Amino acid sequence: MPDRIFSGVGWMTAGIGISALINFLFQIFMGNYLETRDFTALVAIMGMLSLFSLPLGVFESETAAIISKSNSEGKIDYDLNIEHFSPSSKFYSALSITAMISMFAVFPIDGIISRIHLILSFVFSVCVLVMLRVRLGIFQGRKQFRTLAISAVTNSGAKFISGAILIWFGMGLESGVFAIFIGIVASIIVLFYLKTGISGKQKDVRYIENGGFENRIGIAASLVLVGIMLNWDVIVANFALSSEEAGLYSYSAVIAKSVVIASSAIIGVLVPSISESKTQRMRFSRFFKLATVYAFISLPILILSYLFQYQILSKIYLNSDPLVHQGPLFYIMVGYSFLSMAQFSVFSSIARLDVGGKIVRMATTSILPLFSVFFIDDVESLVQILLSYSGITFFILFSDEIVSIRRERIITE
């Protein structure tokens, strides 16, 4: 099993790494060709998409956890599993309305009519994201990490190519929003063609016949809070800071997200690995190994950002204001590193199907920073709040997970 864990980490790291690089190029392209205000809006939209993406991950986590426990080997009925784990049409309707309303956090009310096509594109992206999440969960539960890596690269590659083409046609902010939708659809298409390796006649259908997933509400609630935890700062920056300062923070935050992306590679292996663990010793061992791997991945990124911050920003954002090159990249990255470890802890509890205790703690740590919009007047104050908040959140959630894993009771059976 350890070999499979590290092999999975290898595939996921390669896929997420390549995908992150392409996403980085996409963001560089947008940062250099869009007006500062449009780029800030695009970063805010990507932040809002993450706010939806993480709670929608309940469908991926549910699918991965149940399939890895019940049917990790042998063929599965691909279409039957998609039907079982997918939400109803009422859920899509409610999700669409929520996504549309959320765009008021990005666009001012007086300009909302002129942006209706962007809002609809965002709504479609959120809905299609649910379809992608279910499919990713099937492959994750079957430990098809190579396929997950291919899907991630396809998503970012299609997004970059389509975004570059649309920018060339002079579509501005629309190019970035439309490209996000195209990338998600491209991943779904690729997974459809790669299903042949796992699809066939399924022997064990008991988990499908037994109905729903009793922990879905708890997991969804915890992931909503994770989404706020990882993205509140870019939303606050878009609202509380001037156009120039919001652009400064957004430029740096885009690069700093690399440490969050790095944790995604580990989380992809974490959920099925811990969900299959039968003893507290096995759970703790796998949690500790994967946490150590993440630390080794993120540390070089932090060192590079500290040593070459000016060179990175000045070489990447050629059309940006010189003030951006002196931005708080390193400090934002430190904050995101702590938050990534906190996120890592939450997904560990999801894999153990034990999220009840986390929700109260996360509700306290995740909602409070949103009120910082009333106290922030410059980039420095936002960074200070981010660092304080991320350190406290990491300490609370990470230490809580270690204590939970060390308990003797068996949660996954």
Side-chain angles (χ1 to χ4, degrees):
M1 177 60 74
D3 291 339
R4 295 183 66 182
I5 289 177
F6 288 111
S7 173
V9 170
W11 276 111
M12 292 298 292
T13 300
I16 297 295
I18 296 172
S19 175
L21 176 60
I22 299 174
N23 279 323
F24 190 42
L25 294 176
F26 169 77
Q27 292 159 351
I28 291 172
F29 202 81
M30 294 297 163
N32 281 308
Y33 283 92
L34 294 180
E35 297 290 334
T36 300
R37 175 51 70 182
D38 282 347
F39 180 71
T40 303
L42 179 61
V43 172
I45 289 172
M46 290 189 292
M48 291 300 300
L49 186 63
S50 295
L51 286 177
F52 281 90
S53 178
L54 280 164
L56 291 178
V58 65
F59 298 105
E60 181 176 344
S61 299
E62 170 189 0
T63 307
I66 291 180
I67 287 182
S68 64
K69 288 173 60 179
S70 305
N71 204 3
S72 60
E73 304 292 340
K75 299 292 184 178
I76 63 173
D77 189 323
Y78 188 76
D79 295 330
L80 182 62
N81 278 274
I82 288 177
E83 180 182 358
H84 173 68
F85 290 108
S86 296
S88 65
S89 58
K90 291 182 179 179
F91 177 87
Y92 280 108
S93 299
L95 184 66
S96 298
I97 294 173
T98 304
M100 184 171 295
I101 294 174
S102 73
M103 284 292 92
F104 284 92
V106 178
F107 300 115
I109 295 178
D110 57 354
I112 209 77
I113 299 299
S114 62
R115 300 293 192 178
I116 191 64
H117 58 295
L118 295 177
I119 295 172
L120 291 176
S121 180
F122 177 80
V123 171
F124 292 148
S125 297
V126 171
C127 291
V128 173
L129 188 60
V130 180
M131 300 169 59
L132 175 61
R133 285 293 202 169
V134 172
R135 287 156 176 79
L136 290 175
I138 293 175
F139 285 96
Q140 186 183 119
R142 293 300 306 276
K143 302 180 184 64
Q144 298 292 311
F145 299 117
R146 181 172 60 179
T147 301
L148 294 174
I150 293 173
S151 172
V153 174
T154 299
N155 188 330
S156 56
K159 180 170 64 177
F160 174 73
I161 294 172
S162 59
I165 293 173
L166 294 173
I167 276 283
W168 187 75
F169 280 102
M171 295 190 66
L173 176 59
E174 287 82 353
S175 60
V177 180
F178 293 163
I180 292 171
F181 174 75
I182 294 171
I184 297 173
V185 173
S187 288
I188 293 176
I189 294 173
V190 166
L191 291 177
F192 174 79
Y193 283 104
L194 294 178
K195 71 176 184 179
T196 54
I198 61 173
S199 183
K201 184 175 178 57
Q202 182 171 331
K203 295 181 179 179
D204 183 6
V205 294
R206 287 175 297 175
Y207 64 89
I208 294 177
E209 296 172 346
N210 288 337
F213 189 52
E214 61 183 12
N215 291 325
R216 175 179 287 180
I217 295 177
I219 291 177
S222 64
L223 291 176
V224 166
L225 296 172
V226 169
I228 296 174
M229 181 178 74
L230 292 173
N231 295 281
W232 67 269
D233 57 323
V234 293
I235 306 299
V236 168
N238 187 57
F239 257 91
L241 302 181
S242 66
S243 175
E244 292 75 14
E245 289 189 320
L248 162 63
Y249 191 91
S250 297
Y251 283 125
S252 298
V254 161
I255 303 175
K257 287 290 185 182
S258 58
V259 291
V260 180
I261 295 171
S263 68
S264 300
I266 311 301
I267 289 171
V269 180
L270 174 79
V271 173
S273 297
I274 289 187
S275 66
E276 290 182 348
S277 302
K278 301 301 182 183
T279 66
Q280 60 86 215
R281 177 178 295 180
M282 190 179 297
R283 289 196 300 271
F284 183 79
S285 174
R286 293 177 180 177
F287 177 82
F288 181 77
K289 286 178 181 178
L290 291 171
T292 303
V293 170
Y294 173 71
F296 276 107
I297 292 175
S298 61
L299 186 59
I301 301 175
L302 288 171
I303 294 173
L304 289 174
S305 69
Y306 178 77
L307 295 176
F308 302 106
Q309 172 175 286
Y310 175 84
Q311 291 87 341
I312 291 172
L313 290 171
S314 62
K315 297 296 183 184
I316 290 175
Y317 295 109
L318 305 177
N319 296 331
S320 62
D321 188 284
L323 178 64
V324 172
H325 307 154
Q326 305 295 335
L329 172 62
F330 172 71
Y331 299 103
I332 297 176
M333 195 168 285
V334 170
Y336 284 174
S337 296
F338 282 125
L339 292 178
S340 293
M341 291 301 291
Q343 176 191 207
F344 186 80
S345 305
V346 174
F347 273 90
S348 175
S349 66
I350 290 174
R352 296 185 296 104
L353 306 182
D354 184 34
V355 297
K358 286 286 190 302
I359 294 177
V360 175
R361 297 172 182 83
M362 292 179 64
T364 303
T365 58
S366 298
I367 301 300
L368 287 179
L370 294 177
F371 293 96
S372 64
V373 68
F374 300 109
F375 307 102
I376 291 173
D377 52 12
D378 54 30
V379 172
E380 288 73 18
S381 59
L382 178 55
V383 172
Q384 290 173 1
I385 292 176
L386 173 66
L387 288 173
S388 300
Y389 163 74
S390 61
I392 294 171
T393 301
F394 161 73
F395 176 78
I396 292 175
L397 296 182
F398 194 81
S399 59
D400 176 71
E401 182 61 15
I402 290 178
V403 172
S404 299
I405 293 178
R406 296 293 291 179
R407 295 172 184 160
E408 291 296 333
R409 66 193 181 98
I410 299 176
I411 299 174
T412 54
E413 287 188 339

